[in-house]
Amino acid sequence: MLADKRIAIVGLGKIGGTLARGLVQRRVVPAKNLAGSTAHEATAQEASKRYGIEVHTDNAKLVQGRDIVILAVKPQSMARVLEEIRSHTDPQQLVITLAAAITTRFVEEGLQQEISVVRAMPNTPCLVGQGMTVLCPGRFATPEHVEIAREIFAAVGRVEVIDNEELMDAVTGLSGSGPAYCYIMIESLAEGGVKVGLPRELATLLAAQSMLGAAQMVLETGEHPAKLKDAVTTPAGTTVDGLLELEAGGVRVSLIKAVDRATQKSKELSR
Ligand SMILES: NC(=O)c1ccc[n+]([C@@H]2O[C@H](COP(=O)([O-])OP(=O)(O)OC[C@H]3O[C@@H](n4cnc5c(N)ncnc54)[C@H](OP(=O)(O)O)[C@@H]3O)[C@@H](O)[C@H]2O)c1
C-alpha cells in the first residue's frame, strides 16, 4: 500500500528520524519517495546524509504534493508548523501526528480543512524495531487511512488501534513513557547485581535480558503476569524473599502512580 506513496516527515528528530530509518531500511518506502525537514540548515544536511533522503528546512515546500504528511515536531512547535503548511496541504492527503497531547481536532483546526488525521503515539524502541505504537483516527480519517498508518508503524514494531482519543493520554503515560520506567528498573537491578559482586557489564546484561525474556513470555504465552511470576517462585526459595523486598519498597504502587501521573501530565498539556 505504501510503495508508491510520497511521504513527508516534518521534524527529523529522535522519533521522526527513527521512523525514516525504519521505513527505508525495511524497504517499506523507497528513499526517493521519502523526504523530511528540520528547523536548522546544519541539522538538515546531517539528517540528509544519515537517512539518505531529501531534507528541507522549508515545510511548505516539503509537504506540497505528498500523499502522507507525518508531523513529528514538539507539541509547542505544532501551531506554527500547521500555519506554515496550511495553504500547501489538501484533503487528499493523510496527516499523521505524533506529538504528545496534540489532538486530531487541533490539527484539523490548525489546517482549517476537513482533512484525514491519524494520531499516533510511538515509543523510542522503534529504533530497534521493537516499538509500540497506538493509533487513533480523527473525524475525517477512514479505515483505509488507519491501515496506511498501521503499515508505516509496523515497520518499526507493534501497532494497536483505538477509537477513543481520550485514551491517548493514558497510552502516552504507559507505552510512550514506559521505556524510561523500564530503564530505571534495569539500572536498579544491575546495581543490585553489582552490590552482590557481579561486574557491571554482566549485571546490566543479566538485568536487560531478564526484562526482555519476561516481556516475551507475557506476549507469547498470553498468561497473566501473576501466573508467570508464581511459576518462578519456588516455596521457601530465593525469589519469594526478593519479591518481599519489592513489596516492602512499594514497587507496584510506584509503577501504578508513575503511569497515572504521566497520564495526568499529558491531559494537562492537552489543555
Ligand atoms: N521521543 C519519543 O520517545 C517520542 C515518542 C512519542 C511521540 N513523540 C513526539 O514526537 C515529537 C518529536 O519528539 P522528539 O523526541 O523526536 O523531538 P526532537 O528529537 O527534539 O526532534 C524534533 C525535531 O523537529 C525539528 N523541528 C523543530 N521545529 C521545526 C520546524 N518548525 N519545522 C521542521 N522541523 C522542526 C527539529 O529540528 P532541529 O534539530 O533542527 O531543531 C528536530 O529535528 C514530539 O511532539 C513528541 O511528543 C516522541
Side-chain angles (χ1 to χ4, degrees):
M1 220 186 320
L2 284 179
D4 58 349
K5 299 271 190 235
R6 297 187 73 233
I7 303 180
I9 303 180
V10 181
L12 282 173
K14 283 189 280 297
I15 207 80
T18 294
L19 208 52
R21 190 194 303 270
L23 290 172
V24 173
Q25 275 184 355
R26 282 162 208 257
R27 296 177 199 278
V28 181
V29 180
K32 69 174 174 41
N33 287 0
L34 186 63
S37 67
T38 63
H40 305 95
E41 197 50 53
T43 50
Q45 283 180 18
E46 206 179 293
S48 179
K49 257 190 237 144
R50 186 177 311 140
Y51 307 118
I53 61 172
E54 196 186 301
V55 183
H56 304 261
T57 48
D58 179 346
N59 292 323
K61 200 165 147 194
L62 170 72
V63 302
Q64 229 156 15
R66 297 274 159 186
D67 300 296
I68 302 166
V69 175
I70 301 175
L71 302 172
V73 293
K74 294 278 186 198
Q76 55 271 30
S77 307
M78 195 57 98
R80 214 185 73 213
V81 165
L82 293 174
E83 204 183 313
E84 279 170 19
I85 65 173
R86 183 179 296 155
S87 47
H88 306 275
T89 50
D90 64 70
Q92 304 307 314
Q93 293 170 313
L94 165 63
V95 177
I96 300 176
T97 170
L98 313 189
I102 296 287
T103 62
T104 53
R105 198 174 273 265
F106 183 92
V107 176
E108 291 158 7
E109 288 174 359
L111 294 175
Q112 297 175 351
Q113 290 165 57
E114 294 194 352
I115 195 164
S116 312
V117 180
V118 173
R119 182 167 165 190
M121 178 46 63
N123 62 12
T124 47
C126 285
L127 193 60
V128 291
Q130 291 294 340
M132 180 69 242
T133 303
V134 177
L135 303 174
C136 183
R139 291 178 294 168
F140 308 111
T142 65
E144 200 200 350
H145 292 128
V146 175
E147 282 318 300
I148 292 173
R150 185 196 288 277
E151 208 179 317
I152 291 176
F153 291 95
V156 288
R158 283 180 181 248
V159 182
E160 287 293 321
V161 181
I162 61 173
D163 54 16
N164 177 0
E165 193 168 345
E166 282 185 16
L167 288 179
M168 287 304 270
D169 294 311
V171 169
T172 307
L174 179 49
S175 57
S177 308
Y181 312 151
C182 295
Y183 297 136
I184 288 240
M185 287 189 265
I186 292 172
E187 191 190 359
S188 309
L189 290 170
E191 203 65 38
V194 171
K195 168 91 172 71
V196 291
L198 293 174
R200 183 168 296 279
E201 215 174 305
L202 180 61
T204 304
L205 173 69
L206 301 193
Q209 179 61 31
S210 300
M211 186 81 89
L212 181 65
Q216 199 90 358
M217 285 286 280
V218 173
L219 293 174
E220 285 186 17
T221 66
E223 289 285 10
H224 192 289
K227 202 166 168 194
L228 294 168
K229 181 246 320 161
D230 287 353
V232 193
T233 315
T234 318
T238 55
T239 309
V240 72
D241 281 14
L243 289 175
L244 206 63
E245 285 299 328
L246 288 180
E247 298 291 5
V251 73
R252 284 176 195 261
V253 175
S254 297
L255 291 170
I256 294 166
K257 281 185 169 174
V259 176
D260 186 41
R261 188 66 202 97
T263 303
Q264 297 315 321
K265 178 71 178 201
S266 176
K267 283 198 173 122
E268 283 163 32
L269 291 175
S270 298
R271 280 183 224 123

